[in-house]
Amino acid sequence: EAQVTQNPRYLITVTGKKLTVTCSQNMNHEYMSWYRQDPGLGLRQIYYSMNVEVTDKGDVPEGYKVSRKEKRNFPLILESPSPNQTSLYFCASSPRGHYNTEAFFGQGTRLTVV
Amino acid sequence: DAKTTQPPSMDCAEGRAANLPCNHSTISGNEYVYWYRQIHSQGPQYIIHGLKNNETNEMASLIITEDRKSSTLILPHATLRDTAVYYCIVRGRPYGSSNTGKLIFGQGTTLQVKP
């Protein structure tokens, strides 16, 4: 089954404790990205990757890092989480940059930073 | 990418057709209209997309006006499981190296399907 898998689904952590949210897709897609969703602000892109070893900032990259060492994986790293990073996070993938293609989203990771 | 305007909420009776409108008056010739939905904080789910012609798949139909300034997503027989936020997104082919690939989600339309 074609899918994007995020882990964990739920996470409560403390300020400053490094964490990683994993994202994996099984569709051999070149393009992957991370979004965060906050009430009243909708979904905003954090980082994206066009292919292996190619990543770039989206609209709200501050406080986040990503890596793309393999095509299937695109982890989101919070080196020093802060309460303003409490949010619902989604990973997405597609064959190309979403143009004339369907984007597949993971089920989300609800992160709370206290 | 063109901006879209959708009503914030709509109701639909179960079993009836749900018609969700979207205005995109500034759409340009190479921009596609996409529809996604999000059920209760789950990951957004692709529904359908089109450029000029009407499109139909197993989930829905997309009707695009001749001037392409608006479109309507039709769920032919809405069920309770179709209760969700529906997003209309306009996305064009990027030129040069300025492709972030992002989908711009507005506030969407909250569709409530009632028994």
Side-chain angles (χ1 to χ4, degrees):
Chain A
E1 179 188 356
Q3 59 185 2
V4 177
T5 304
Q6 295 178 227
N7 280 297
R9 294 288 310 279
Y10 302 90
L11 179 60
I12 301 174
T13 190
V14 296
T15 298
K17 185 177 181 180
K18 180 180 179 179
L19 66 91
T20 299
V21 183
T22 64
C23 174
S24 180
Q25 50 95 2
N26 63 359
M27 295 164 281
N28 201 36
H29 287 166
E30 293 87 1
Y31 185 92
M32 297 184 74
S33 63
W34 278 100
Y35 293 82
R36 62 177 287 175
Q37 185 173 28
D38 303 288
L41 297 176
L43 286 99
R44 295 176 292 170
Q45 191 183 55
I46 304 170
Y47 267 94
Y48 65 96
S49 170
M50 292 291 187
N51 213 325
V52 176
E53 302 292 0
V54 180
T55 64
D56 210 341
K57 297 177 181 178
D59 295 323
V60 288
E62 294 77 22
Y64 304 95
K65 286 176 56 178
V66 293
S67 69
R68 189 89 182 275
K69 294 183 172 59
E70 308 164 277
K71 202 172 193 179
R72 63 183 295 123
N73 296 323
F74 190 45
L76 180 69
I77 303 158
L78 284 73
E79 294 271 5
S80 183
S82 62
N84 65 11
Q85 293 178 297
T86 292
S87 187
L88 179 58
Y89 292 86
F90 292 104
C91 179
S93 76
S94 68
R96 291 179 292 278
H98 298 309
Y99 178 71
N100 195 21
T101 62
E102 171 185 354
F104 293 81
F105 284 79
Q107 285 303 296
T109 296
R110 188 169 292 279
L111 172 65
T112 301
V113 183
V114 298
Chain B
D1 295 334
K3 182 179 177 179
T4 62
T5 303
Q6 300 177 251
S9 64
M10 294 181 63
D11 290 341
C12 177
E14 188 178 19
R16 304 296 296 270
N19 296 278
L20 292 90
C22 180
N23 286 319
H24 31 79
S25 59
T26 59
I27 193 170
S28 60
N30 66 346
E31 291 182 316
Y32 282 74
V33 180
Y34 291 81
W35 284 85
Y36 283 78
R37 73 180 182 184
Q38 187 175 24
I39 299 172
H40 189 56
S41 296
Q42 295 178 18
Q45 176 190 22
Y46 166 85
I47 301 172
I48 199 167
H49 75 282
L51 182 63
K52 294 180 182 178
N53 300 321
N54 299 336
E55 302 287 345
T56 296
N57 63 20
E58 65 278 4
M59 289 183 67
S61 295
L62 174 60
I63 308 299
I64 302 174
T65 57
E66 191 170 345
D67 63 7
R68 304 208 323 121
K69 294 184 185 299
S70 65
S71 60
T72 300
L73 177 74
I74 301 172
L75 307 178
H77 305 287
T79 71
L80 298 178
R81 289 177 296 178
D82 292 321
T83 293
V85 179
Y86 287 78
Y87 297 98
C88 171
I89 298 168
V90 173
R91 178 82 174 91
R93 178 185 290 280
Y95 293 96
S97 60
S98 61
N99 174 21
T100 69
K102 69 182 175 185
L103 292 165
I104 301 174
F105 290 84
Q107 296 305 308
T109 296
T110 299
L111 175 68
Q112 182 73 45
V113 180
K114 298 185 175 181

